[in-house]
Amino acid sequence: MIRLKIISPQREILSVDTELVELPGTLGRFEVLQNHAPLISSTVAGVVRYVQAGESHEIECQPGFVEVRDNCVTVCVG
């Protein structure tokens, strides 16, 4: 499983365990699966898609950045 956290300076927006995460990167959309290599990337405004128990969910996010490390995806939005 992957832990997805979406945070803003004001609060934690979302914290869930997922099977995959798809993000709107500055250079295009990209997907993160379990055991993904560590990375830090900027993101643009758009939809973050994630899958729980085979069911797809979407959340609209502002621009920011993402860190992927140790099966944890942390999205920081403004």
Side-chain angles (χ1 to χ4, degrees):
M1 294 306 281
I2 303 166
R3 170 60 82 176
L4 170 62
K5 296 179 186 177
I6 302 177
I7 59 174
S8 75
Q10 294 80 23
R11 65 186 177 95
E12 181 175 85
I13 298 167
L14 180 74
S15 182
V16 295
D17 288 326
T18 68
E19 298 163 23
L20 71 85
V21 180
E22 187 179 290
L23 300 146
T26 304
L27 298 177
R29 295 193 66 79
F30 65 97
E31 192 172 276
V32 176
L33 298 171
Q34 191 169 357
N35 298 319
H36 194 286
L39 73 83
I40 295 177
S41 177
S42 57
T43 60
V44 296
V47 173
V48 173
R49 188 176 75 84
Y50 60 97
V51 176
Q52 285 183 296
E55 188 174 324
S56 182
H57 302 272
E58 295 182 346
I59 185 167
E60 213 37 66
C61 287
Q62 296 300 312
F65 65 93
V66 60
E67 177 189 38
V68 177
R69 185 180 65 174
D70 299 328
N71 288 317
C72 184
V73 176
T74 305
V75 183
C76 301
V77 297

